Amino acid sequence: MPRKEFTMHAPENPSIDYYSDRTAHDAEIGYPVHVYFIELAKMYMNRIRWHWHPELEIIIINHGEAELLADDQKICLKAGQGILINQNVIHSIQPANSENNCTLYSAIFHPSFLFGYGNTVMSGKYLTPILSSPVFKIMFLDESDLVGAQILDTVNSIIAVNMTKKYGYELVTKSYLCQLWGILLQNIVPQNTEKHKTGKLSMDEVRVKEAILYVEEHYAEHITLDQLAASIHTSKSECCRCFKRTLQLTPIEYLMRYRIFKAANMIYIDDPISHSISNLAFSVGFNNASYFNKVFKQYLKCTPKEYRKRINEDSIGNAFNVISI
């Protein structure tokens, strides 16, 4: 089946923050469908950060190769391949090769759009079996597989109508989503009786999500591993194991990345605090400007001053259109 090609341009409003911008999605419950064209090379640290959301997401690689990290897995995706991610599954996306750019389409939709909000009968009959399926967290999509080809073709159609936005595209999108859901019901629900993984990873994800939220709230403060472990009611060693199994990072590595992410974003939006390196360092949890400079350069391969210069020269692009870490 030939892969559909679309004009490569950014959507009208590509800004997504899966953590703090939930209200933007909620405000559009009349049409909770979002399609984005993303160039990973233009993202902060060339990746989409670890995140989760109540919507389902389908990613299709347009050019190059990418690695999806989710559910304790690393999946390499090539052009034409895709991944379907269930709601509230923590995941991250990065280029498979740092030397080559990767572009992709992301289609995100809330399942309630299919049957209307409050329709508990239809939701219970058709949504719950998929959303609560013990075997469905992520689904690899490839054209060589019959089911994968059907889903890819349907999602490509969703992307096309949402990029062109001709009159009535919302209705057309809903019809395609119903087709997609029918395919999932036929191929996922019968598997619910099969043997599946234990709940251990799910507990890891619950703990890591709680720790991430703690970091987001307290990153500007002095945070120790003891405090992070206490925030998820576990030991330091188990906290480290949870992070390693889920994010392939230590808790402290994640904390440092998040602090540098916040600092880079403050520079990007020209926050007055960022005009002083010492003040910027202190505002994101560092008590030493020299160490802050060192960590900043470790992650972004340049100093904060050099990063500001790159922004002024417009060599970074819309790095924070898709918030990433």
Side-chain angles (χ1 to χ4, degrees):
M1 184 178 298
R3 181 164 56 94
K4 296 184 178 181
E5 298 288 346
F6 307 109
T7 303
M8 294 170 57
H9 64 278
E12 295 176 2
N13 180 16
S15 178
I16 321 171
D17 185 343
Y18 294 115
Y19 288 134
S20 62
D21 198 31
R22 292 272 174 82
T23 54
H25 290 280
D26 294 341
E28 298 183 47
I29 60 173
Y31 186 65
V33 180
H34 307 266
V35 172
Y36 305 97
F37 176 76
I38 300 169
E39 295 184 68
L40 291 182
K42 293 185 177 181
M43 299 300 103
Y44 171 77
M45 289 184 67
N46 301 332
R47 69 186 66 205
I48 298 175
R49 66 164 172 163
W50 286 102
H51 65 280
W52 67 93
H53 38 74
E55 299 86 2
L56 283 85
E57 182 172 8
I58 308 103
I59 293 167
I60 297 180
I61 305 302
N62 182 71
H63 173 76
E65 298 182 13
E67 289 179 346
L68 177 105
L69 305 176
D71 193 21
D72 197 26
Q73 298 182 55
K74 178 185 290 187
I75 301 175
C76 183
L77 301 171
K78 300 178 180 180
Q81 295 178 330
I83 199 85
L84 174 58
I85 306 167
N86 205 348
Q87 59 179 190
N88 296 317
V89 173
I90 189 168
H91 57 283
S92 174
I93 307 163
Q94 62 190 27
N97 189 331
S98 60
E99 297 179 358
N100 296 319
N101 187 18
C102 174
T103 60
L104 57 90
Y105 283 96
S106 171
I108 303 171
F109 69 96
H110 198 285
S112 296
F113 178 58
L114 293 172
F115 306 115
Y117 292 82
N119 192 333
T120 56
V121 175
M122 294 289 281
S123 297
K125 186 175 181 180
Y126 294 118
L127 292 183
T128 302
I130 298 294
L131 302 179
S132 62
S133 170
V135 297
F136 174 47
K137 284 192 173 183
I138 57 177
M139 182 178 183
F140 175 69
L141 306 173
D142 187 83
E143 293 175 338
S144 63
D145 173 70
L146 178 60
V147 175
Q150 290 177 327
I151 293 177
L152 286 169
D153 188 56
T154 304
V155 175
N156 278 328
S157 297
I158 292 171
I159 292 170
V161 298
N162 280 270
M163 284 295 183
T164 56
K165 291 189 175 181
K166 294 181 180 179
Y167 182 71
Y169 75 95
E170 300 97 334
L171 294 176
V172 176
T173 298
K174 187 167 185 176
S175 70
Y176 282 131
L177 286 175
C178 286
Q179 291 179 37
L180 169 64
W181 211 258
I183 296 170
L184 294 178
L185 285 168
Q186 293 171 16
N187 292 278
I188 290 181
V189 174
Q191 300 178 32
N192 281 351
T193 57
E194 295 182 4
K195 183 179 179 180
H196 56 274
K197 294 181 181 180
T198 66
K200 186 174 181 61
L201 180 61
S202 295
M203 179 56 69
D204 283 349
E205 289 191 5
V206 169
R207 288 171 172 170
V208 168
K209 286 177 180 179
E210 290 178 356
I212 285 174
L213 295 176
Y214 181 86
V215 167
E216 291 187 349
E217 184 177 354
H218 300 281
Y219 70 91
E221 305 168 15
H222 177 67
I223 299 178
T224 64
L225 180 57
D226 283 308
Q227 290 171 314
L228 269 175
S231 74
I232 58 175
H233 312 291
T234 189
S235 65
K236 291 190 294 183
S237 58
E238 182 59 20
C239 179
C240 289
R241 285 192 289 268
C242 286
F243 267 79
K244 275 292 187 179
R245 285 190 294 251
T246 307
L247 306 187
Q248 290 80 56
L249 297 170
T250 69
I252 299 304
E253 284 173 337
Y254 183 86
L255 172 62
M256 291 296 104
R257 286 194 180 203
Y258 189 78
R259 284 172 168 169
I260 297 303
F261 159 73
K262 295 298 290 186
N265 195 27
M266 291 173 72
I267 295 172
Y268 187 80
I269 65 176
D270 197 28
D271 189 303
I273 293 177
S274 70
H275 296 170
S276 164
I277 298 301
S278 295
N279 290 342
L280 177 61
F282 181 76
S283 71
V284 295
F286 290 87
N287 56 16
N288 184 299
S290 177
Y291 181 59
F292 166 70
N293 270 305
K294 178 181 179 181
V295 178
F296 194 100
K297 189 170 185 177
Q298 175 186 342
Y299 286 120
L300 298 185
K301 312 304 179 186
C302 64
T303 66
K305 288 184 178 180
E306 290 169 343
Y307 191 75
R308 184 183 300 280
K309 183 179 178 182
R310 288 167 58 192
I311 292 172
N312 293 335
E313 294 173 349
D314 198 29
S315 62
I316 292 180
N318 297 325
F320 291 88
N321 274 351
V322 178
I323 301 300
S324 53
I325 182 170

